[in-house]
Amino acid sequence: MIIVRDDMPAGLIAMEAVGEVTRADYQDIIRPELERAFAHGEKVRFLYILGSQFKGFEAAALIDDAKLGIKHLGDFERIAVVCDVKWVNHAIKLVNVATPCPVKRFAVEQQTDAISWLQA
């Protein structure tokens, strides 16, 4: 499940994964929320929190994530991922090489640092 976090500073879009992230989460929450932001024509600063309640991704969700990222490759200004899951952290390193905007991983206890970095 994805929770859109509305307790963030202005100018940031933040979402938190709780449990397993599914294809329905991408279709019903993630994609519409980001598409609204992209429609304004400004680059998006995105915080994705995969904290202690995160359990993983449904395979179809990973495919939808890749499609969304490719479609909007140039629409992000910065992406911060807060996560302590080892395989996700390795995947972020790969994504960072192929993404024109900076993508940075922060440990769960560094969420405040991630927000500061996005605002810089």
Side-chain angles (χ1 to χ4, degrees), residues 4-87:
V4 177
R5 298 280 303 267
D6 58 2
D7 59 340
M8 295 291 153
L12 299 184
I13 294 178
M15 296 183 198
E16 182 171 2
V18 176
E20 183 179 48
V21 178
T22 66
R23 170 172 257 171
D25 291 323
Y26 269 87
Q27 293 173 345
D28 300 339
I29 301 167
I30 297 171
R31 186 176 47 206
E33 187 74 20
L34 288 172
E35 294 283 355
R36 274 191 289 279
F38 298 143
H40 288 46
E42 294 181 17
K43 296 210 179 226
V44 170
R45 292 176 181 234
F46 182 55
L47 174 64
Y48 200 14
I49 304 164
L50 308 173
S52 62
Q53 296 181 44
F54 170 67
K55 300 299 180 211
F57 291 98
E58 183 180 86
L62 288 173
I63 293 167
D64 285 350
D65 181 66
K67 287 179 185 176
L68 182 69
I70 291 167
K71 180 180 178 184
H72 293 286
L73 203 55
D75 294 332
F76 289 95
E77 186 168 343
R78 288 181 173 209
I79 300 170
V81 181
V82 173
C83 181
D84 288 335
V85 178
K86 196 175 237 180
W87 74 265

